[in-house]
Amino acid sequence: AGWPIAHHVWAGNRRDSTTVQEVVKDLSERFHFARLVFVGDRGMVTKKNLQELTSSESHGFLVGMTRRRNSEAESLIDRVDESKWVDCPMGINAQEKKKDPPRTRVQEVECDREGVRVFVVDSDERRAYEERERTKAMQRVLEGLKKVQLRVAKGQLKQPEKIGAAVERALRKSHGYRYYAWELKDGQLNIFEHPVNLPREKKYEGKYLIQTDQDDMTPQDAVAHYKDLDEVERAFRSLKDPLGMRPIWHHSPRRVKAHIF
């Protein structure tokens, strides 16, 4: 019914993906579930975790997929058919907006991995956020590139290798390689929007992928279950902010767990 039945505490430097098998084993032994479907974000996904979850008939998974530097994810998004989108039920925030509430749409696309289903989700709210973040990042990168361009125009930077190093430093900030390209021609530094990377960024904005091994789950149910992770994140924010859960340096793990509980 949405109420937590257990919680776990780990050291802050432990990677999320290393906790999955421990949690699933603990929950199975303590509560004897007939069926346990693990829902996790992209940080939980490793090949080993998915293999462990699928090795038992009573376990399953519903997890996010990484979108960047993932050729499979790009090919799956490219398989989207614009005529097959299905609207998802609106959440409370969307319902409160009387005019043009943000939509969330989903469709299942064919996956080449046997026994795995993939859903592509298109979110107006996520698209608006990613567009804002990209616009701000592009502005920051462009400001840095223009400073280098001005130094070149004034003759303060002349050697090609030094110009290239200065441009590379500017592009490393705010993921500038995603948005801009450059060339040095006849002693002039030219900056322009990247002809491949930028259109790809815009194309994938607002879209994310969910994968599952559950045959009986509808696309809308998959989105609803995955969005429950947002409720968990909101609970953490509520715990940390109003209650002022500031860093307190306990001297034993037992006291750390007591404090969080």
Side-chain angles (χ1 to χ4, degrees):
W3 289 94
I5 59 173
H7 74 280
H8 300 79
V9 182
W10 292 281
N13 61 355
R14 183 167 174 182
R15 291 187 61 181
D16 292 345
S17 60
T18 66
T19 66
V20 174
Q21 296 175 40
E22 183 179 331
V23 170
V24 171
K25 183 175 183 293
D26 177 63
L27 293 177
S28 299
E29 291 177 351
R30 289 168 63 188
F31 300 103
H32 305 288
F33 293 116
R35 183 175 180 229
L36 190 154
V37 180
F38 177 82
V39 183
D41 60 18
R42 294 163 297 178
M44 301 289 190
V45 180
T46 65
K47 188 175 182 179
K48 185 176 181 181
N49 283 341
L50 294 185
Q51 287 175 344
E52 288 290 331
L53 290 169
T54 54
S55 63
S56 172
E57 293 183 358
S58 60
H59 295 162
F61 64 85
L62 175 71
V63 293
M65 287 182 66
T66 55
R67 191 180 64 181
R68 297 193 182 279
R69 296 183 294 277
N70 185 347
S71 57
E72 182 192 18
E74 292 183 7
S75 66
L76 288 168
I77 294 177
D78 288 338
R79 295 176 187 178
V80 164
D81 185 337
E82 291 298 329
S83 65
K84 293 184 178 180
W85 287 116
V86 178
D87 288 331
C88 297
M90 290 189 296
I92 295 175
N93 291 339
Q95 293 175 17
E96 290 176 346
K97 297 182 179 180
K98 297 180 180 179
K99 186 178 180 181
D100 298 326
R103 298 179 306 169
T104 298
R105 306 181 297 171
V106 63
Q107 68 172 272
E108 185 172 355
V109 296
E110 184 180 355
C111 180
D112 298 328
R113 285 176 287 146
E114 186 178 355
V116 178
R117 301 169 66 199
V118 173
F119 307 106
V120 178
V121 187
D122 180 63
S123 167
D124 289 347
E125 199 167 15
R126 184 176 183 134
R127 181 179 298 103
Y129 169 77
E130 291 182 346
E131 285 180 352
R132 288 195 304 270
E133 293 302 304
R134 172 177 53 80
T135 300
K136 289 190 288 187
M138 289 182 69
Q139 184 61 36
R140 288 194 295 267
V141 175
L142 187 59
E143 289 174 357
L145 291 172
K146 284 185 174 179
K147 289 179 181 178
V148 178
Q149 196 175 40
L150 183 61
R151 292 172 63 194
V152 173
K154 289 182 176 180
Q156 296 173 349
L157 275 178
K158 295 181 179 180
Q159 298 179 7
E161 59 272 19
K162 291 188 176 181
I163 295 174
V167 172
E168 295 296 307
R169 286 194 296 272
L171 287 174
R172 278 199 295 267
K173 297 178 180 178
S174 302
H175 307 290
Y177 290 102
R178 299 175 185 173
Y179 318 120
Y180 294 107
W182 63 281
E183 66 175 4
L184 188 63
K185 190 174 182 180
D186 298 330
Q188 288 188 331
L189 176 61
N190 300 315
I191 306 295
F192 49 91
E193 293 182 350
H194 201 290
V196 177
N197 293 352
L198 183 56
R200 182 171 56 199
E201 287 293 315
K202 293 180 179 180
K203 180 180 181 180
Y204 296 148
E205 282 176 348
K207 293 182 176 66
Y208 60 95
L209 300 103
I210 307 172
Q211 56 183 330
T212 185
D213 63 345
Q214 301 300 298
D215 295 330
D216 58 347
M217 191 175 292
T218 68
Q220 294 96 323
D221 286 341
V223 175
H225 290 312
Y226 190 72
K227 281 191 171 184
D228 282 342
L229 291 174
D230 292 337
E231 297 296 329
V232 177
E233 294 295 338
R234 274 195 284 272
F236 277 123
R237 285 195 293 272
S238 297
L239 180 69
K240 291 177 180 178
D241 295 339
L243 297 183
M245 190 185 241
R246 64 194 184 279
I248 296 178
W249 307 110
H250 297 291
H251 294 281
S252 69
R254 182 174 63 90
R255 292 188 178 276
V256 173
K257 292 181 179 181
H259 181 80
I260 291 174
F261 183 76

